[in-house]
Amino acid sequence: MADCLTMMKYQGLGNDYLVLDPNKNAAHLHGKKIALMCQRGFGLGADGVLYGPVDINGKMGVHIYNSDGSESAISGNGVRIFAKYLMDHGYVKEQKFSIETLSGSIEVECLNSRATEFRVNMGKASFLSREIPVTGEVREVINEDFTFHQKEYKATCLTVGNPHCIIFMDQVNAEIARELGPYVENADEFPERMNLQICRRIDSGNLDIEIWERGSGYTKASGTGSCAAAAAAYRLGLVERRVNVNQPGGMIQIDIQEDGTLYMTGSVGYVADISIAESFFS
């Protein structure tokens, strides 16, 4: 059999990632190879790649790559998936531990014996334009007028380690997210590109969202997107501190503490071990 690399596939509410463990494989990741590997039909098919565990600032961490090969500072589903991988493969024994990312240290707690449910401290949201970033004068970007694809929208922008644009609508569906997403992602106002969540308030404890992720396109679920939608809705006075964020892949629960800290609770699942020809990386 030809030399192979082994990757593990996991999913968090239909948001799927490949885990490439450098301790078990000798592979150098390149943007074009990641993009090809994530492309359904030509590669293995995934929303992204998790490369780890690796040393980040002297601690156990992970590099998160989008399906277009670009690197992401943080992914809520990605962190939960990587937490499960670390437990499944004996890297951690504790129920509570931390994972280093490019956006900082993320505290994770496993909530069940099968390691399928995780609660993650996602830190605090910032609506400040220079931190998101959004061009123009320094301000909090809340319910502001934007023009996307020659149409006016009221949008709230924030960062939870990565940038998000939240637009509330009377109805949300995949078609709207797919149509609007590329224009929001690449709008001139967003110098580092942008994630989009179109959002509908159901009641004070429930939201519906559809997601367009920068670097990945339309996705069934997003942990950071759920945090951003809940934080924006709470800031606008639309929901209470505990919010169920419903999306095509399932539901993620967000708890907003009094100090603004966001806790995300959601499930993850193991899918398969996959052997891939080493020549794929050459």
Side-chain angles (χ1 to χ4, degrees):
M1 188 177 185
D3 289 337
C4 288
L5 301 166
T6 302
M7 305 184 78
M8 287 77 182
K9 192 169 191 179
Y10 288 80
Q11 59 82 25
L13 306 179
N15 192 204
D16 55 348
Y17 278 87
L18 299 164
V19 180
L20 180 59
D21 188 335
N23 297 315
K24 300 178 181 179
N25 299 282
H28 298 286
L29 289 185
H30 302 288
K32 287 183 179 178
K33 287 294 184 183
I34 293 170
L36 183 60
M37 193 160 51
C38 290
Q39 194 173 345
R40 303 175 198 279
F42 289 94
L44 301 178
D47 291 319
V49 172
L50 305 174
Y51 184 65
V54 294
D55 184 291
I56 299 178
N57 300 323
K59 299 176 182 176
M60 183 174 59
V62 62
H63 286 289
I64 302 164
Y65 294 93
N66 299 314
S67 62
D68 68 352
S70 61
E71 188 164 4
S72 177
I74 183 67
S75 161
N77 284 327
V79 165
R80 292 203 320 280
I81 285 170
F82 193 65
K84 177 169 176 57
Y85 175 80
L86 291 175
M87 295 189 77
D88 286 351
H89 291 265
Y91 283 109
V92 294
K93 307 290 187 193
E94 305 82 12
Q95 296 298 105
K96 291 184 179 181
F97 53 97
S98 293
I99 297 171
E100 294 298 310
T101 70
L102 293 187
S103 76
S105 183
I106 308 295
E107 296 172 9
V108 177
E109 180 182 3
C110 180
L111 299 179
N112 63 4
S113 59
R114 294 179 298 127
T116 59
E117 192 88 6
F118 289 87
R119 177 176 162 95
V120 182
N121 181 339
M122 295 293 287
K124 299 177 183 180
S126 171
F127 297 84
L128 264 182
S129 58
R130 67 168 174 245
E131 294 178 3
I132 300 168
V134 179
T135 59
E137 64 180 354
V138 177
R139 74 231 182 255
E140 289 195 316
V141 187
I142 297 169
N143 215 27
E144 201 169 288
D145 291 322
F146 287 88
T147 302
F148 302 122
H149 196 25
Q150 301 176 328
K151 190 174 177 183
E152 297 288 325
Y153 294 93
K154 290 277 190 185
T156 297
C157 298
L158 65 155
T159 177
V160 287
N162 58 2
H164 294 268
C165 175
I166 313 297
I167 299 175
F168 282 88
M169 298 183 174
D170 293 331
Q171 72 169 59
V172 297
N173 57 50
E175 290 71 34
I176 298 172
R178 288 180 188 273
E179 181 183 349
L180 186 58
Y183 294 96
V184 174
E185 177 181 0
N186 298 294
D188 291 342
E189 294 94 335
F190 309 136
E192 294 181 13
R193 295 192 294 164
M194 182 61 75
N195 298 289
L196 168 69
Q197 278 76 236
I198 55 172
C199 188
R200 181 177 73 89
R201 178 189 183 272
I202 302 171
D203 55 40
S204 63
N206 289 275
L207 298 172
D208 267 347
I209 67 170
E210 290 276 358
I211 305 140
W212 180 271
E213 279 194 355
R214 67 171 181 174
S216 293
Y218 179 78
T219 52
K220 292 184 175 68
S222 170
T224 59
S226 298
C227 290
Y234 182 73
R235 182 63 185 267
L236 293 168
L238 301 175
V239 295
E240 304 294 333
R241 291 190 188 277
R242 173 165 287 187
V243 187
N244 296 324
V245 183
N246 303 281
Q247 50 220 299
M251 187 268 286
I252 291 178
Q253 185 183 89
I254 306 298
D255 288 292
I256 304 170
Q257 305 298 299
E258 282 195 26
D259 68 353
T261 301
L262 301 164
Y263 282 89
M264 168 191 69
T265 302
S267 61
V268 294
Y270 163 74
V271 178
D273 283 18
I274 303 170
S275 292
I276 182 169
E278 195 170 339
S279 59
F280 193 93
F281 284 92
S282 61

